[in-house]
Amino acid sequence: MNASRTWRGSDLARQIVVLSALSFMLIAAVIGAGAFGNSAVEDQQGGALDTDGSYLAPAGPAFSIWSVIYLGLIVYGIWQALPGQRTNPRQRALGWLIALTMTLNGLWLVAARFGTLFLTVVVIVLLLAALGWTFKVAVTTREPRGGVVDSVLIDGVTGLHLGWVTLATVANTAAYLTTVVPPSWEDAASAIGIAVLIVVALIGLAIAWRSSWRVTPALALAWGLGWLAVERFGGEPQSTPIGVTAIIVAVVVLVPPAVVSLLRLIRPSVD
């Protein structure tokens, strides 16, 4: 028998922990959506997390990406619980980390509902760090992938989660800073927003480069940036310079990994 496939007590524990983390995250998400008479996330923290909470908040439709991410995590949770995945080396390397990202995801919603705006920033930064590490392990581990399902539910879903939370961290931090900086700073809001978006472009390209140009983080990041532009053009607070910059950054972060992915489809030997 392959030693790496020998059953360990920690394997079952890992599967249970992943399902528990998934359940916690989903319960927090339902409450965060405004079920059971609670206010929705955008109405919490005095409305600071709404689309008009800062110059770097995306429009409401951007948040529909959570449906895709949650669906992917639900399917992953069910899939990893199958007996055939119990001793899978990839699950051993990533299951605990994915459970951590689910837990932090749920904790952010708890912080938004019961904590402070600053606490939401702390939690989302921790979530971003956990997702970055998880994605790094997913794309660099030498354990063989289990086909398309493995690639989609681990690399793909984690990549989407990472890309979206990258922009969400920027929006969340901007919302917090908007509540604490002097009102006079609004005169420089466009310049500051453009500078931040340039940093986002560098981060997006760095993620793509470090992951051998995987496209899913860029897709989620570009999606959020597109809706950020929509909100700055037609919403409040309005800023055409930030909107234009967001569109440029979306193109910058999406085109290189998209081109590499297309080339890989045409020529599978492209690294």
Side-chain angles (χ1 to χ4, degrees):
M1 180 181 292
N2 189 332
S4 65
R5 288 284 187 170
T6 302
W7 187 84
R8 307 170 188 168
S10 60
D11 291 327
L12 180 59
R14 183 196 68 245
Q15 290 178 306
I16 293 172
V17 167
V18 170
L19 290 174
S20 299
L22 175 62
S23 299
F24 168 67
M25 181 190 72
L26 293 176
I27 292 171
V30 169
I31 295 174
F36 310 118
N38 295 291
S39 58
V41 169
E42 62 269 21
D43 298 321
Q44 295 168 10
Q45 301 297 330
L49 299 172
D50 205 349
T51 56
D52 61 356
S54 78
Y55 280 85
L56 294 175
F63 298 92
S64 63
I65 194 174
W66 278 124
S67 299
V68 178
I69 294 171
Y70 284 150
L71 178 60
L73 290 172
I74 291 169
V75 177
Y76 167 77
I78 296 170
W79 173 66
Q80 66 84 37
L82 298 175
Q85 296 299 317
R86 186 163 298 165
T87 60
N88 186 324
R90 284 262 291 170
Q91 300 293 358
R92 286 174 171 169
L94 289 156
W96 297 103
L97 291 173
I98 294 174
L100 175 62
T101 64
M102 292 177 179
T103 302
L104 288 170
N105 188 310
L107 284 175
W108 184 88
L109 291 161
V110 172
R113 177 70 178 84
F114 300 105
T116 63
L117 193 55
F118 176 72
L119 184 58
T120 65
V121 174
V122 172
V123 176
I124 204 167
V125 168
L126 291 174
L127 174 57
L128 179 62
L131 283 166
W133 182 255
T134 303
F135 193 60
K136 176 181 181 295
V137 173
V139 300
T140 61
T141 181
R142 297 187 178 185
E143 303 295 346
R145 287 176 175 77
V148 174
V149 173
D150 183 299
S151 295
V152 170
L153 294 182
I154 294 181
D155 298 31
V157 175
T158 303
L160 286 177
H161 203 172
L162 172 61
W164 172 250
V165 170
T166 298
L167 185 64
T169 301
V170 172
N172 197 162
T173 303
Y176 167 70
L177 292 176
T178 299
T179 66
V180 297
V181 300
S184 59
W185 281 38
E186 188 169 6
D187 296 335
S190 290
I192 295 171
I194 290 170
V196 170
L197 289 176
I198 291 172
V199 174
V200 170
L202 295 175
I203 292 172
L205 290 173
I207 292 172
W209 173 60
R210 292 292 293 172
S211 65
S212 299
W213 303 101
R214 274 10 183 240
V215 73
T216 49
L219 284 172
L221 191 51
W223 167 266
L225 287 164
W227 285 109
L228 191 158
V230 168
E231 187 65 15
R232 295 292 72 78
F233 288 138
E236 292 294 338
Q238 197 171 67
S239 173
T240 298
I242 290 179
V244 171
T245 305
I247 291 174
I248 294 171
V249 171
V251 172
V252 167
V253 300
L254 181 58
V255 169
V259 169
V260 172
S261 296
L262 180 60
L263 289 175
R264 282 176 176 149
L265 289 173
I266 299 172
R267 298 165 54 197
S269 61
V270 174
D271 293 325

